[in-house]
Amino acid sequence: MLNPVGAMQTLTLPARRLLVADEDWAAELLVAAYTAAPAAAAWPGGAAHSRAWLRLLLRYALHAGSVYAGPADRSVAVWLPAEAAALSWASLLRRGQLALPLHLGWSACRQLMHWQQQQDERRHRALPMPHHQLLALGVRPGQQGQGAGRSLLRASVAAVGGRFLPCYAPVYSLRGLSLARQQGFEVASYDEVPTPAGPVPCWGLVRSASVI
């Protein structure tokens, strides 16, 4: 039904693609969302290194992939295409990503890169074909559990072209597993990542190419 003449209607888009200018606030949102998350414990150095690592992943994706925000900027999703998903020193240097080793030191940075390469090996075993990878999905603390993450996941899968290529997502919690399975992801692999606090579960999830 058409609105009456003179009535105002606000269109809220399910996702908007972020630009380099959005890096600072998007990085802070991801850091806040992941600080107490199981994924942060799975990274070498734990939460102590998560801020620098998340900022690097976000900056890399803004140049080599795509980053989306949900309505009112309550959530952020970070995606990479298959050709850019395998992080390496060469790929980072090509995009001027020298901040991480300068900030953390080369030893800590090597540990993070080694850990990421292990994740890439798991990803390739689970999905050895062209695909999109979800690197991170975060919702502002205090606004979690209200559907913001679910709606952005759905919208960003559509935005990256999930109807044409499969998608891969590493998940480190039962809550994240449930959210992803609601959007068509299925478990393709399972590992436990050793950490000083004990093993952290990691599910490798795959969504077949289809309309969402």
Side-chain angles (χ1 to χ4, degrees), residues 11-207:
L11 176 63
T12 301
L13 298 177
R16 70 178 182 94
R17 187 166 181 175
L18 299 188
L19 305 174
V20 173
D22 294 298
E23 179 185 325
D24 286 342
W25 73 261
E28 290 304 315
L29 185 154
L30 288 173
V31 168
Y34 275 84
T35 295
W43 299 329
H49 292 165
S50 63
R51 177 180 293 271
W53 187 238
L54 282 166
R55 182 173 284 275
L56 179 141
L57 293 178
L58 175 66
R59 184 176 299 168
Y60 180 76
L62 284 168
H63 290 87
S66 49
V67 183
Y68 297 93
D73 294 339
R74 294 185 300 162
S75 52
V76 170
V78 182
W79 288 86
L80 285 178
E83 62 269 20
L87 295 181
S88 65
W89 289 116
S91 63
L92 295 176
L93 290 173
R94 280 198 300 269
R95 291 168 175 83
Q97 304 295 331
L98 292 174
L100 187 70
L102 293 176
H103 179 75
L104 295 179
W106 287 101
S107 177
C109 194
R110 279 196 297 269
Q111 292 178 16
L112 282 167
M113 289 298 297
H114 178 67
W115 175 84
Q116 184 62 51
Q117 288 166 1
Q118 291 178 322
Q119 307 311 304
D120 288 337
E121 291 173 2
R122 293 188 179 101
R123 176 172 55 84
H124 281 297
R125 288 197 299 268
L127 193 57
M129 63 183 69
H131 60 273
H132 303 287
Q133 181 188 8
L134 178 63
L135 277 178
L137 175 65
V139 179
R140 289 187 186 278
Q143 299 182 346
Q144 298 171 352
Q146 302 175 21
R150 181 173 60 253
S151 63
L152 180 57
L153 177 58
R154 180 182 179 86
S156 62
V157 166
V160 298
R163 65 180 298 179
F164 303 111
L165 284 177
C167 298
Y168 177 86
V171 172
Y172 300 89
S173 69
L174 289 173
R175 182 176 180 178
L177 177 62
S178 175
L179 183 151
R181 294 188 73 172
Q182 292 173 27
Q183 304 305 321
F185 285 82
E186 297 294 341
V187 176
S189 65
Y190 175 81
D191 291 286
E192 292 187 349
V193 181
T195 74
V200 173
C202 176
W203 292 270
L205 304 183
V206 170
R207 181 186 183 277

